[in-house]
Amino acid sequence: FLADKNDFDKWEKEIEKIEKENKKRKRAKQELLEDPPQPERRLPEKSDDDLKRRHWHKRSILLEEEQARAESRRQQFEMEVEEAKKLRDAECFYQRVSVDYRGRMYLPAEFSYQGSDFARSVIEFADGTFLTYDGYVAIYQHTSNLEGKIKGPVDKRREDIASRLASLTDIAFDPKGKFSEWSDADKPYCFLRACIELRDAAAVVVRKEMESGREIHPSEKDWVNKMVALCDVVEMETRGGEESLMSHLPVELDQSSSAFAHIARMMNDDELLKQSNHGEVWSDLYTGVADRIRRDGLDDAREKRKLVKVVAVPWSYGASTRTCGKALKKFRKEFPEQCSYLQTLTNDEVGDLAESIVYHLRAGFPTCVAYTERVWRAVDAVANREGQEVVGWLTPTGFPVWQRVHRRRSVQSRVWGSEHDCRLRAKLPTDTINWDSNRTKAPPNLVHSLDAAVLHAVLWAGRVKNASYPEYDWQVLLPKESDDPQDQRDRPYEPEYPVITIHDCCAVPATFTPDLRNKFLETLGMMYTGFDPMQMFLSMVEQAPFTRRNIDFNWIYKAHNAIS
């Protein structure tokens, strides 16, 4: 008789499973014959010396792992320093942008603004931008975000930096001597770079005040003299009678709790939207979860919040506890100075910590669980459809996403490695579709495709409008025409300044942060009001009728802390 190839694959797996069980039984029987069971003996109680040795052994393993991570980071740092030195003398350089199957934009992995804290700190815009008052305010907020010590509304963070301006400029004048004051920041090198920008910008303001006849307090004399002298070397420009710094610093704009916010809009949950900091009142959902976690030794509130955030981001769109544990291990490797407690844990204990955090997340955010399960059901509908091998959908900007995950088979071999044989392993794809992986990948991929669509629309059109899709009830985002009849440009709202994309956020010159923030928020609100991506996804994947829900647009005018 004829059988489907998939049936043969299933039979082969069943046969392999039975053979493994038989071998296991034979091995157990042979061991029993060679070494018959002995009478049960009571183990002696462990002495203090035994406990000390056990503790020492555990600590030695952790120290070896910590040493290996430190050596790896040092090697990476030295490679990046050499690359920076090569590019330092160039007038400018370009980097190729690639787009993956979800629409996310990537820069080169080895040395780019999407790389390490050091790489991000030394890369800047080739052309300077005249620094306005809005630019000064944006740099204040940017500096506070990089330091990471103050959590709260954006106004509070700006005021904190303004009150410490003199001490921050001292860091820029003497980075080595003030090392202890900037090395414990969330992103120390980027924070140092922001302090340098604050110093240069403040120097121009101080010189203006001195020229206007401001009196200097004796205690400020040395500092003021240094600031005024600095104006001879920094890049400045005068426009409309105003003198200001020409800033090259990329200032980052990031959507607060973006994964939770996207899920809140897709599931039409206003309460989760407020929790993800998209309401009128400032909120920090990571701190709320961290306050409920109790573990011996984890007393630093700042570290506890970081660990919760590391787990919450992948968990929010369906990642398993095992994947969340991997995220904690990756964070420990890349930022050991920010996780002193995590450094004391074995790999098994890291997994226990991830499980504890996931437990509190599931209890606090049932909407995320419901979102994941709803997307899984949609993928199951594709799997049960005869002849279907791919899960596909369109983003609001018309970008096609095609997800098809194949099963893989392990292949290994030995090759000569100059001193001894090396075992190489690889996992090659087969012709069989892995629907389990398709289910787990779909929830995060849907979120990633939507945050990519926001950046696509902002970079391509600036401001957008909804337009009907031919022959369907769907709508797509298109450029919005200018209200000025004299404006003849094809895309009048497209940003006319450089933008660096960082997955779901971006960096721009400080002066243009208010403009890009408004474009970002308006596009985000328009996308969910006119397009309803969740219903669109379900309509395409499940081949069901599309019914757009009534989703509020006015929240963007109240979300003062949504883009920070």
Side-chain angles (χ1 to χ4, degrees), residues 339-393:
C339 51
S340 56
Y341 170 76
L342 201 59
Q343 294 277 32
T344 65
L345 303 183
T346 63
N347 287 337
D348 290 340
E349 290 169 338
V350 171
D352 292 339
L353 175 61
E355 189 173 348
S356 175
I357 296 174
V358 166
Y359 170 80
H360 290 285
L361 289 169
R362 288 183 65 88
F365 305 103
T367 300
C368 295
V369 179
Y371 160 77
T372 300
E373 293 175 349
R374 184 65 188 90
V375 175
W376 284 353
R377 291 201 301 272
V379 176
D380 289 341
V382 180
N384 295 329
R385 198 177 299 138
E386 186 177 354
Q388 193 79 30
E389 292 186 336
V390 63
V391 182
W393 65 91

Side-chain angles (χ1 to χ4, degrees), residues 289-302:
V289 176
D291 291 341
R292 296 195 292 270
I293 294 176
R294 301 284 185 272
R295 290 181 74 90
D296 293 338
L298 185 53
D299 302 321
D300 186 351
R302 188 177 169 193

Side-chain angles (χ1 to χ4, degrees), residues 17-32:
K17 184 178 178 181
I18 293 170
E19 289 177 349
K20 286 181 180 179
E21 290 177 354
N22 288 337
K23 288 179 181 178
K24 188 176 180 180
R25 290 194 192 97
K26 289 180 181 178
R27 188 165 53 249
K29 185 177 180 180
Q30 185 66 28
E31 291 175 355
L32 190 62

Side-chain angles (χ1 to χ4, degrees), residues 462-491:
R463 293 182 65 189
V464 293
K465 65 177 181 179
N466 292 337
S468 297
Y469 198 87
E471 301 180 8
Y472 292 96
D473 294 330
W474 313 334
Q475 289 189 323
V476 292
L477 299 179
L478 295 177
K480 189 173 183 179
E481 294 85 359
S482 174
D483 298 328
D484 183 2
Q486 302 299 321
D487 197 336
Q488 300 298 319
R489 293 178 294 179
D490 293 334
R491 295 191 175 96

Side-chain angles (χ1 to χ4, degrees), residues 512-561:
F512 300 109
T513 51
D515 181 73
L516 189 66
R517 179 187 180 278
N518 292 337
K519 286 182 169 61
F520 199 104
L521 270 178
E522 183 179 337
T523 301
L524 190 63
M526 186 68 70
M527 185 174 80
Y528 280 105
T529 300
F531 191 79
D532 197 350
M534 186 63 174
Q535 293 297 100
M536 188 68 243
F537 170 81
L538 297 176
S539 173
M540 291 180 179
V541 174
E542 296 182 339
Q543 297 183 357
F546 170 69
T547 304
R548 187 171 68 244
R549 298 167 295 178
N550 183 22
I551 298 179
D552 180 29
F553 176 80
N554 293 323
W555 66 269
I556 69 167
Y557 303 116
K558 306 173 185 177
H560 306 300
N561 300 284

Side-chain angles (χ1 to χ4, degrees), residues 153-287:
V154 292
D155 293 338
K156 178 182 177 182
R157 282 178 265 171
R158 295 167 184 166
E159 291 168 2
D160 173 69
I161 295 299
S163 66
R164 297 189 290 128
L165 186 59
S167 62
L168 294 175
T169 57
D170 287 341
I171 291 175
F173 276 119
D174 185 18
K176 289 185 178 180
K178 302 287 185 179
F179 178 77
S180 61
E181 297 182 24
W182 60 269
S183 58
D184 64 340
D186 273 4
K187 296 179 173 58
Y189 285 112
C190 285
F191 175 64
L192 174 60
R193 174 65 180 88
C195 289
I196 293 172
E197 196 77 3
L198 278 177
R199 177 200 65 185
D200 296 349
V204 181
V205 176
V206 169
R207 190 172 78 167
K208 286 182 189 176
E209 293 178 348
M210 295 304 100
E211 291 174 350
S212 64
R214 175 195 160 192
E215 294 185 6
I216 307 174
H217 192 276
S219 62
E220 298 179 327
K221 187 173 181 180
D222 292 341
W223 180 77
V224 169
N225 289 338
K226 285 194 297 184
M227 297 291 278
V228 173
L230 187 64
C231 291
D232 295 332
V233 294
V234 299
E235 183 183 355
M236 298 186 300
E237 190 170 303
T238 302
R239 294 183 184 178
E242 285 290 324
E243 187 180 50
S244 186
L245 178 75
M246 294 298 288
S247 176
H248 295 259
L249 176 71
V251 173
E252 295 176 17
L253 287 172
D254 191 9
Q255 183 182 348
S256 180
S257 307
S258 61
F260 287 87
H262 278 293
I263 292 171
R265 288 290 75 182
M266 279 192 279
M267 301 300 287
N268 206 12
D269 185 343
D270 290 334
E271 185 60 32
L272 180 58
L273 196 68
K274 294 175 183 177
Q275 288 178 290
S276 56
N277 214 11
H278 285 62
E280 294 185 72
V281 180
W282 185 83
S283 173
D284 183 10
L285 58 85
Y286 305 122
T287 299

